[in-house]
PDB file of all heavy atoms in Angstrom:
ATOM      1  N   LEU J 120      20.664 -10.284   3.840  1.00 98.00           N
ATOM      2  CA  LEU J 120      20.547  -8.821   3.854  1.00 98.00           C
ATOM      3  C   LEU J 120      19.827  -8.334   5.110  1.00 98.00           C
ATOM      4  O   LEU J 120      20.186  -7.294   5.676  1.00 98.00           O
ATOM      5  CB  LEU J 120      19.828  -8.329   2.606  1.00 98.00           C
ATOM      6  CG  LEU J 120      20.654  -8.316   1.317  1.00 98.00           C
ATOM      7  CD1 LEU J 120      19.841  -7.761   0.156  1.00 98.00           C
ATOM      8  CD2 LEU J 120      21.937  -7.494   1.478  1.00 98.00           C
ATOM      9  N   ASN J 121      18.815  -9.068   5.551  1.00 98.00           N
ATOM     10  CA  ASN J 121      18.133  -8.668   6.782  1.00 98.00           C
ATOM     11  C   ASN J 121      19.060  -8.769   7.981  1.00 98.00           C
ATOM     12  O   ASN J 121      19.027  -7.906   8.876  1.00 98.00           O
ATOM     13  CB  ASN J 121      16.885  -9.527   6.997  1.00 98.00           C
ATOM     14  CG  ASN J 121      15.662  -8.969   6.284  1.00 98.00           C
ATOM     15  OD1 ASN J 121      15.092  -7.962   6.701  1.00 98.00           O
ATOM     16  ND2 ASN J 121      15.269  -9.611   5.205  1.00 98.00           N
ATOM     17  N   GLU J 122      19.902  -9.793   8.010  1.00 98.00           N
ATOM     18  CA  GLU J 122      20.865  -9.910   9.105  1.00 98.00           C
ATOM     19  C   GLU J 122      21.909  -8.802   9.027  1.00 98.00           C
ATOM     20  O   GLU J 122      22.299  -8.222  10.051  1.00 98.00           O
ATOM     21  CB  GLU J 122      21.539 -11.285   9.046  1.00 98.00           C
ATOM     22  CG  GLU J 122      20.611 -12.434   9.425  1.00 98.00           C
ATOM     23  CD  GLU J 122      21.256 -13.801   9.224  1.00 98.00           C
ATOM     24  OE1 GLU J 122      22.276 -13.879   8.494  1.00 98.00           O
ATOM     25  OE2 GLU J 122      20.736 -14.777   9.768  1.00 98.00           O
ATOM     26  N   TYR J 123      22.330  -8.481   7.812  1.00 98.00           N
ATOM     27  CA  TYR J 123      23.367  -7.459   7.626  1.00 98.00           C
ATOM     28  C   TYR J 123      22.867  -6.070   8.028  1.00 98.00           C
ATOM     29  O   TYR J 123      23.559  -5.332   8.752  1.00 98.00           O
ATOM     30  CB  TYR J 123      23.822  -7.452   6.166  1.00 98.00           C
ATOM     31  CG  TYR J 123      24.832  -6.372   5.849  1.00 98.00           C
ATOM     32  CD1 TYR J 123      26.180  -6.531   6.168  1.00 98.00           C
ATOM     33  CD2 TYR J 123      24.433  -5.179   5.233  1.00 98.00           C
ATOM     34  CE1 TYR J 123      27.108  -5.531   5.885  1.00 98.00           C
ATOM     35  CE2 TYR J 123      25.345  -4.177   4.945  1.00 98.00           C
ATOM     36  CZ  TYR J 123      26.687  -4.356   5.268  1.00 98.00           C
ATOM     37  OH  TYR J 123      27.593  -3.368   4.998  1.00 98.00           O
ATOM     38  N   PHE J 124      21.676  -5.710   7.551  1.00 98.00           N
ATOM     39  CA  PHE J 124      21.147  -4.368   7.818  1.00 98.00           C
ATOM     40  C   PHE J 124      20.386  -4.278   9.138  1.00 98.00           C
ATOM     41  O   PHE J 124      20.022  -3.182   9.561  1.00 98.00           O
ATOM     42  CB  PHE J 124      20.221  -3.928   6.674  1.00 98.00           C
ATOM     43  CG  PHE J 124      20.940  -3.537   5.416  1.00 98.00           C
ATOM     44  CD1 PHE J 124      20.819  -4.310   4.279  1.00 98.00           C
ATOM     45  CD2 PHE J 124      21.730  -2.401   5.367  1.00 98.00           C
ATOM     46  CE1 PHE J 124      21.468  -3.949   3.095  1.00 98.00           C
ATOM     47  CE2 PHE J 124      22.387  -2.028   4.195  1.00 98.00           C
ATOM     48  CZ  PHE J 124      22.261  -2.810   3.059  1.00 98.00           C
ATOM     49  N   LYS J 125      20.093  -5.439   9.751  1.00 98.00           N
ATOM     50  CA  LYS J 125      19.265  -5.485  10.962  1.00 98.00           C
ATOM     51  C   LYS J 125      17.849  -4.988  10.677  1.00 98.00           C
ATOM     52  O   LYS J 125      17.230  -4.280  11.490  1.00 98.00           O
ATOM     53  CB  LYS J 125      19.910  -4.715  12.106  1.00 98.00           C
ATOM     54  CG  LYS J 125      21.238  -5.314  12.558  1.00 98.00           C
ATOM     55  CD  LYS J 125      21.846  -4.537  13.714  1.00 98.00           C
ATOM     56  CE  LYS J 125      23.099  -5.230  14.263  1.00 98.00           C
ATOM     57  NZ  LYS J 125      24.140  -5.457  13.233  1.00 98.00           N
ATOM     58  N   THR J 126      17.356  -5.366   9.502  1.00 98.00           N
ATOM     59  CA  THR J 126      15.988  -5.067   9.111  1.00 98.00           C
ATOM     60  C   THR J 126      15.080  -6.227   9.520  1.00 98.00           C
ATOM     61  O   THR J 126      15.525  -7.200  10.118  1.00 98.00           O
ATOM     62  CB  THR J 126      15.912  -4.785   7.606  1.00 98.00           C
ATOM     63  OG1 THR J 126      16.692  -5.757   6.890  1.00 98.00           O
ATOM     64  CG2 THR J 126      16.488  -3.400   7.295  1.00 98.00           C
ATOM     65  N   ASP J 127      13.805  -6.117   9.181  1.00 98.00           N
ATOM     66  CA  ASP J 127      12.809  -6.970   9.835  1.00 98.00           C
ATOM     67  C   ASP J 127      11.971  -7.845   8.897  1.00 98.00           C
ATOM     68  O   ASP J 127      10.999  -8.449   9.355  1.00 98.00           O
ATOM     69  CB  ASP J 127      11.861  -6.093  10.656  1.00 98.00           C
ATOM     70  CG  ASP J 127      12.609  -5.278  11.695  1.00 98.00           C
ATOM     71  OD1 ASP J 127      13.103  -5.878  12.661  1.00 98.00           O
ATOM     72  OD2 ASP J 127      12.718  -4.046  11.523  1.00 98.00           O
ATOM     73  N   GLY J 128      12.335  -7.897   7.612  1.00 98.00           N
ATOM     74  CA  GLY J 128      11.552  -8.775   6.755  1.00 98.00           C
ATOM     75  C   GLY J 128      11.593  -8.376   5.298  1.00 98.00           C
ATOM     76  O   GLY J 128      12.400  -7.534   4.878  1.00 98.00           O
ATOM     77  N   ILE J 129      10.697  -8.993   4.524  1.00 98.00           N
ATOM     78  CA  ILE J 129      10.677  -8.812   3.070  1.00 98.00           C
ATOM     79  C   ILE J 129       9.249  -8.603   2.591  1.00 98.00           C
ATOM     80  O   ILE J 129       8.314  -9.239   3.085  1.00 98.00           O
ATOM     81  CB  ILE J 129      11.299 -10.045   2.359  1.00 98.00           C
ATOM     82  CG1 ILE J 129      11.351  -9.849   0.840  1.00 98.00           C
ATOM     83  CG2 ILE J 129      10.566 -11.321   2.729  1.00 98.00           C
ATOM     84  CD1 ILE J 129      12.335  -8.813   0.374  1.00 98.00           C
ATOM     85  N   ASP J 130       9.090  -7.698   1.643  1.00 98.00           N
ATOM     86  CA  ASP J 130       7.818  -7.465   0.961  1.00 98.00           C
ATOM     87  C   ASP J 130       8.039  -7.713  -0.523  1.00 98.00           C
ATOM     88  O   ASP J 130       8.945  -7.131  -1.128  1.00 98.00           O
ATOM     89  CB  ASP J 130       7.339  -6.028   1.192  1.00 98.00           C
ATOM     90  CG  ASP J 130       5.988  -5.751   0.555  1.00 98.00           C
ATOM     91  OD1 ASP J 130       4.987  -6.272   1.073  1.00 98.00           O
ATOM     92  OD2 ASP J 130       5.941  -5.013  -0.445  1.00 98.00           O
ATOM     93  N   ILE J 131       7.229  -8.601  -1.103  1.00 98.00           N
ATOM     94  CA  ILE J 131       7.358  -8.938  -2.519  1.00 98.00           C
ATOM     95  C   ILE J 131       6.348  -8.124  -3.323  1.00 98.00           C
ATOM     96  O   ILE J 131       5.141  -8.242  -3.125  1.00 98.00           O
ATOM     97  CB  ILE J 131       7.099 -10.450  -2.756  1.00 98.00           C
ATOM     98  CG1 ILE J 131       7.978 -11.295  -1.840  1.00 98.00           C
ATOM     99  CG2 ILE J 131       7.332 -10.785  -4.225  1.00 98.00           C
ATOM    100  CD1 ILE J 131       9.448 -11.196  -2.110  1.00 98.00           C
ATOM    101  N   ASP J 132       6.853  -7.286  -4.210  1.00 98.00           N
ATOM    102  CA  ASP J 132       5.981  -6.467  -5.059  1.00 98.00           C
ATOM    103  C   ASP J 132       6.172  -6.901  -6.510  1.00 98.00           C
ATOM    104  O   ASP J 132       6.800  -6.215  -7.310  1.00 98.00           O
ATOM    105  CB  ASP J 132       6.303  -4.990  -4.867  1.00 98.00           C
ATOM    106  CG  ASP J 132       5.277  -4.074  -5.525  1.00 98.00           C
ATOM    107  OD1 ASP J 132       4.343  -4.593  -6.164  1.00 98.00           O
ATOM    108  OD2 ASP J 132       5.426  -2.851  -5.407  1.00 98.00           O
ATOM    109  N   TRP J 133       5.649  -8.073  -6.820  1.00 98.00           N
ATOM    110  CA  TRP J 133       5.721  -8.663  -8.168  1.00 98.00           C
ATOM    111  C   TRP J 133       4.422  -8.318  -8.888  1.00 98.00           C
ATOM    112  O   TRP J 133       3.355  -8.800  -8.537  1.00 98.00           O
ATOM    113  CB  TRP J 133       5.903 -10.170  -8.028  1.00 98.00           C
ATOM    114  CG  TRP J 133       5.900 -10.981  -9.287  1.00 98.00           C
ATOM    115  CD1 TRP J 133       5.757 -10.560 -10.578  1.00 98.00           C
ATOM    116  CD2 TRP J 133       6.058 -12.408  -9.370  1.00 98.00           C
ATOM    117  NE1 TRP J 133       5.805 -11.616 -11.451  1.00 98.00           N
ATOM    118  CE2 TRP J 133       5.986 -12.762 -10.734  1.00 98.00           C
ATOM    119  CE3 TRP J 133       6.237 -13.404  -8.418  1.00 98.00           C
ATOM    120  CZ2 TRP J 133       6.095 -14.084 -11.177  1.00 98.00           C
ATOM    121  CZ3 TRP J 133       6.340 -14.712  -8.855  1.00 98.00           C
ATOM    122  CH2 TRP J 133       6.281 -15.050 -10.221  1.00 98.00           C
ATOM    123  N   GLU J 134       4.542  -7.456  -9.897  1.00 98.00           N
ATOM    124  CA  GLU J 134       3.358  -6.997 -10.618  1.00 98.00           C
ATOM    125  C   GLU J 134       3.385  -7.496 -12.072  1.00 98.00           C
ATOM    126  O   GLU J 134       3.894  -6.806 -12.936  1.00 98.00           O
ATOM    127  CB  GLU J 134       3.272  -5.479 -10.561  1.00 98.00           C
ATOM    128  CG  GLU J 134       3.203  -4.940  -9.125  1.00 98.00           C
ATOM    129  CD  GLU J 134       3.048  -3.430  -9.039  1.00 98.00           C
ATOM    130  OE1 GLU J 134       2.502  -2.822  -9.986  1.00 98.00           O
ATOM    131  OE2 GLU J 134       3.472  -2.863  -8.035  1.00 98.00           O
ATOM    132  N   TYR J 135       2.791  -8.721 -12.355  1.00 98.00           N
ATOM    133  CA  TYR J 135       1.995  -9.556 -11.466  1.00 98.00           C
ATOM    134  C   TYR J 135       2.251 -11.014 -11.809  1.00 98.00           C
ATOM    135  O   TYR J 135       2.538 -11.332 -12.963  1.00 98.00           O
ATOM    136  CB  TYR J 135       0.490  -9.279 -11.652  1.00 98.00           C
ATOM    137  CG  TYR J 135       0.105  -7.844 -11.515  1.00 98.00           C
ATOM    138  CD1 TYR J 135      -0.120  -7.059 -12.651  1.00 98.00           C
ATOM    139  CD2 TYR J 135      -0.024  -7.254 -10.258  1.00 98.00           C
ATOM    140  CE1 TYR J 135      -0.482  -5.730 -12.515  1.00 98.00           C
ATOM    141  CE2 TYR J 135      -0.393  -5.918 -10.129  1.00 98.00           C
ATOM    142  CZ  TYR J 135      -0.622  -5.162 -11.265  1.00 98.00           C
ATOM    143  OH  TYR J 135      -0.964  -3.846 -11.130  1.00 98.00           O
ATOM    144  N   PRO J 136       2.113 -11.930 -10.838  1.00 98.00           N
ATOM    145  CA  PRO J 136       2.183 -13.343 -11.180  1.00 98.00           C
ATOM    146  C   PRO J 136       0.995 -13.766 -12.049  1.00 98.00           C
ATOM    147  O   PRO J 136      -0.148 -13.391 -11.769  1.00 98.00           O
ATOM    148  CB  PRO J 136       2.112 -14.043  -9.812  1.00 98.00           C
ATOM    149  CG  PRO J 136       2.440 -12.988  -8.807  1.00 98.00           C
ATOM    150  CD  PRO J 136       1.979 -11.701  -9.394  1.00 98.00           C
ATOM    151  N   ALA J 137       1.291 -14.497 -13.122  1.00 98.00           N
ATOM    152  CA  ALA J 137       0.283 -15.200 -13.932  1.00 98.00           C
ATOM    153  C   ALA J 137      -0.581 -14.309 -14.818  1.00 98.00           C
ATOM    154  O   ALA J 137      -1.309 -14.815 -15.677  1.00 98.00           O
ATOM    155  CB  ALA J 137      -0.616 -16.075 -13.047  1.00 98.00           C
ATOM    156  N   ILE J 138      -0.540 -12.999 -14.649  1.00 98.00           N
ATOM    157  CA  ILE J 138      -1.306 -12.107 -15.520  1.00 98.00           C
ATOM    158  C   ILE J 138      -0.407 -10.964 -15.986  1.00 98.00           C
ATOM    159  O   ILE J 138       0.633 -10.693 -15.386  1.00 98.00           O
ATOM    160  CB  ILE J 138      -2.562 -11.532 -14.832  1.00 98.00           C
ATOM    161  CG1 ILE J 138      -2.167 -10.638 -13.644  1.00 98.00           C
ATOM    162  CG2 ILE J 138      -3.507 -12.654 -14.398  1.00 98.00           C
ATOM    163  CD1 ILE J 138      -3.348  -9.887 -13.033  1.00 98.00           C
ATOM    164  N   GLU J 139      -0.822 -10.312 -17.042  1.00 98.00           N
ATOM    165  CA  GLU J 139       0.003  -9.241 -17.611  1.00 98.00           C
ATOM    166  C   GLU J 139       0.131  -8.075 -16.644  1.00 98.00           C
ATOM    167  O   GLU J 139      -0.843  -7.617 -16.047  1.00 98.00           O
ATOM    168  CB  GLU J 139      -0.592  -8.745 -18.929  1.00 98.00           C
ATOM    169  CG  GLU J 139       0.283  -7.714 -19.624  1.00 98.00           C
ATOM    170  CD  GLU J 139      -0.260  -7.287 -20.975  1.00 98.00           C
ATOM    171  OE1 GLU J 139      -1.419  -7.633 -21.287  1.00 98.00           O
ATOM    172  OE2 GLU J 139       0.484  -6.616 -21.731  1.00 98.00           O
ATOM    173  N   GLY J 140       1.356  -7.604 -16.493  1.00 97.00           N
ATOM    174  CA  GLY J 140       1.621  -6.415 -15.697  1.00 97.00           C
ATOM    175  C   GLY J 140       2.365  -5.400 -16.541  1.00 97.00           C
ATOM    176  O   GLY J 140       1.851  -4.912 -17.544  1.00 97.00           O
ATOM    177  N   TYR J 141       3.608  -5.107 -16.138  1.00 97.00           N
ATOM    178  CA  TYR J 141       4.402  -4.145 -16.902  1.00 97.00           C
ATOM    179  C   TYR J 141       4.608  -4.664 -18.322  1.00 97.00           C
ATOM    180  O   TYR J 141       4.953  -5.834 -18.519  1.00 97.00           O
ATOM    181  CB  TYR J 141       5.750  -3.924 -16.215  1.00 97.00           C
ATOM    182  CG  TYR J 141       6.555  -2.804 -16.815  1.00 97.00           C
ATOM    183  CD1 TYR J 141       6.326  -1.493 -16.428  1.00 97.00           C
ATOM    184  CD2 TYR J 141       7.530  -3.060 -17.782  1.00 97.00           C
ATOM    185  CE1 TYR J 141       7.060  -0.454 -16.983  1.00 97.00           C
ATOM    186  CE2 TYR J 141       8.262  -2.024 -18.341  1.00 97.00           C
ATOM    187  CZ  TYR J 141       8.019  -0.720 -17.940  1.00 97.00           C
ATOM    188  OH  TYR J 141       8.742   0.305 -18.501  1.00 97.00           O
ATOM    189  N   PRO J 142       4.393  -3.820 -19.323  1.00 97.00           N
ATOM    190  CA  PRO J 142       4.495  -4.290 -20.707  1.00 97.00           C
ATOM    191  C   PRO J 142       5.832  -4.951 -21.016  1.00 97.00           C
ATOM    192  O   PRO J 142       6.895  -4.401 -20.709  1.00 97.00           O
ATOM    193  CB  PRO J 142       4.319  -2.996 -21.523  1.00 97.00           C
ATOM    194  CG  PRO J 142       3.514  -2.098 -20.642  1.00 97.00           C
ATOM    195  CD  PRO J 142       3.976  -2.410 -19.250  1.00 97.00           C
ATOM    196  N   GLY J 143       5.762  -6.151 -21.571  1.00 97.00           N
ATOM    197  CA  GLY J 143       6.963  -6.878 -21.958  1.00 97.00           C
ATOM    198  C   GLY J 143       7.522  -7.823 -20.923  1.00 97.00           C
ATOM    199  O   GLY J 143       8.380  -8.647 -21.241  1.00 97.00           O
ATOM    200  N   HIS J 144       7.048  -7.732 -19.675  1.00 98.00           N
ATOM    201  CA  HIS J 144       7.532  -8.639 -18.647  1.00 98.00           C
ATOM    202  C   HIS J 144       6.903 -10.016 -18.816  1.00 98.00           C
ATOM    203  O   HIS J 144       5.718 -10.140 -19.109  1.00 98.00           O
ATOM    204  CB  HIS J 144       7.212  -8.097 -17.254  1.00 98.00           C
ATOM    205  CG  HIS J 144       8.105  -6.986 -16.823  1.00 98.00           C
ATOM    206  ND1 HIS J 144       8.169  -6.539 -15.530  1.00 98.00           N
ATOM    207  CD2 HIS J 144       8.992  -6.215 -17.521  1.00 98.00           C
ATOM    208  CE1 HIS J 144       9.041  -5.548 -15.432  1.00 98.00           C
ATOM    209  NE2 HIS J 144       9.549  -5.335 -16.633  1.00 98.00           N
ATOM    210  N   ARG J 145       7.714 -11.034 -18.603  1.00 98.00           N
ATOM    211  CA  ARG J 145       7.241 -12.405 -18.719  1.00 98.00           C
ATOM    212  C   ARG J 145       6.194 -12.716 -17.650  1.00 98.00           C
ATOM    213  O   ARG J 145       6.320 -12.301 -16.497  1.00 98.00           O
ATOM    214  CB  ARG J 145       8.430 -13.365 -18.573  1.00 98.00           C
ATOM    215  CG  ARG J 145       8.044 -14.832 -18.340  1.00 98.00           C
ATOM    216  CD  ARG J 145       9.270 -15.677 -18.079  1.00 98.00           C
ATOM    217  NE  ARG J 145       8.964 -16.762 -17.160  1.00 98.00           N
ATOM    218  CZ  ARG J 145       9.312 -18.022 -17.338  1.00 98.00           C
ATOM    219  NH1 ARG J 145       9.999 -18.380 -18.413  1.00 98.00           N
ATOM    220  NH2 ARG J 145       9.000 -18.942 -16.437  1.00 98.00           N
ATOM    221  N   TYR J 146       5.166 -13.446 -18.046  1.00 98.00           N
ATOM    222  CA  TYR J 146       4.207 -14.006 -17.087  1.00 98.00           C
ATOM    223  C   TYR J 146       3.675 -15.308 -17.660  1.00 98.00           C
ATOM    224  O   TYR J 146       3.506 -15.446 -18.874  1.00 98.00           O
ATOM    225  CB  TYR J 146       3.056 -13.033 -16.792  1.00 98.00           C
ATOM    226  CG  TYR J 146       2.183 -12.686 -17.979  1.00 98.00           C
ATOM    227  CD1 TYR J 146       0.965 -13.331 -18.196  1.00 98.00           C
ATOM    228  CD2 TYR J 146       2.573 -11.701 -18.890  1.00 98.00           C
ATOM    229  CE1 TYR J 146       0.164 -13.010 -19.275  1.00 98.00           C
ATOM    230  CE2 TYR J 146       1.781 -11.377 -19.972  1.00 98.00           C
ATOM    231  CZ  TYR J 146       0.571 -12.028 -20.160  1.00 98.00           C
ATOM    232  OH  TYR J 146      -0.215 -11.707 -21.244  1.00 98.00           O
ATOM    233  N   THR J 147       3.467 -16.283 -16.802  1.00 98.00           N
ATOM    234  CA  THR J 147       2.993 -17.597 -17.228  1.00 98.00           C
ATOM    235  C   THR J 147       1.961 -18.100 -16.219  1.00 98.00           C
ATOM    236  O   THR J 147       1.947 -17.670 -15.058  1.00 98.00           O
ATOM    237  CB  THR J 147       4.135 -18.626 -17.292  1.00 98.00           C
ATOM    238  OG1 THR J 147       4.537 -18.963 -15.953  1.00 98.00           O
ATOM    239  CG2 THR J 147       5.343 -18.086 -18.051  1.00 98.00           C
ATOM    240  N   PRO J 148       1.099 -19.053 -16.616  1.00 98.00           N
ATOM    241  CA  PRO J 148       0.138 -19.622 -15.659  1.00 98.00           C
ATOM    242  C   PRO J 148       0.818 -20.253 -14.458  1.00 98.00           C
ATOM    243  O   PRO J 148       0.252 -20.273 -13.354  1.00 98.00           O
ATOM    244  CB  PRO J 148      -0.612 -20.671 -16.495  1.00 98.00           C
ATOM    245  CG  PRO J 148      -0.461 -20.219 -17.911  1.00 98.00           C
ATOM    246  CD  PRO J 148       0.891 -19.576 -17.982  1.00 98.00           C
TER     247      PRO J 148
END
Side-chain angles (χ1 to χ4, degrees):
L120 284 182
N121 273 287
E122 289 174 343
Y123 176 80
F124 285 112
K125 296 181 174 57
T126 44
D127 302 290
I129 183 70
D130 183 72
I131 307 294
D132 190 358
W133 176 0
E134 301 183 27
Y135 306 101
I138 64 172
E139 185 176 11
Y141 188 84
H144 284 193
R145 166 185 147 133
Y146 63 98
T147 72

